Amino acid sequence: MRLSRRGLSLIGCLALLSAGLPSLASAEIDQAFGNTLVSHYPDGGWVRHWFNPDGSYSARFSSGRTITGRWRIEGDRVCLNNITPAIMMISRFCSPMISASVGERWESRDPLGRRVTNVLQRGR
């Protein structure tokens, strides 16, 4: 159960990409690339998420597990596709875009409704 809670913090990881990709200006895309989104769970677990300009995505969990996928913008949402290995049979997940800057924190929920606190950190 613990892994699935962290593994499904994809809503938090999508917030990173959306933080860098508001529909306002393409220059803001730089917020996502070269930086790290960290999703923190109340039990102390975390997930580090990385988005790349070529559309690739990867994440590492506090347990040591890793996942990869592809991201793309679909309307006003950011979607992860081809998530491998699939977490609880989820290989695709979309989230609304939001705006955030390096150093900002925000609350969100994972796909199971659990709360996470996200922070966009400078660098990898």
Side-chain angles (χ1 to χ4, degrees), residues 34-95:
N35 292 316
T36 303
L37 171 76
V38 183
S39 298
H40 298 275
Y41 280 90
D43 68 358
W46 51 262
V47 184
R48 295 186 191 282
H49 312 273
W50 299 282
F51 294 85
N52 300 303
D54 67 358
S56 62
Y57 161 83
S58 60
R60 183 173 12 130
F61 300 84
S62 53
S63 67
R65 182 176 179 167
T66 61
I67 61 171
T68 61
R70 304 286 303 166
W71 66 265
R72 76 177 191 205
I73 303 299
E74 295 182 15
D76 62 349
R77 301 180 317 156
V78 179
C79 297
L80 284 180
N81 298 289
N82 304 321
I83 300 167
T84 56
I87 300 169
M88 292 186 61
M89 313 250 332
I90 295 174
S91 63
R92 175 179 164 77
F93 183 78
C94 297
S95 179

Side-chain angles (χ1 to χ4, degrees), residues 11-23:
I11 198 164
C13 72
L14 291 172
L16 168 64
L17 185 57
S18 59
L21 297 173
S23 57

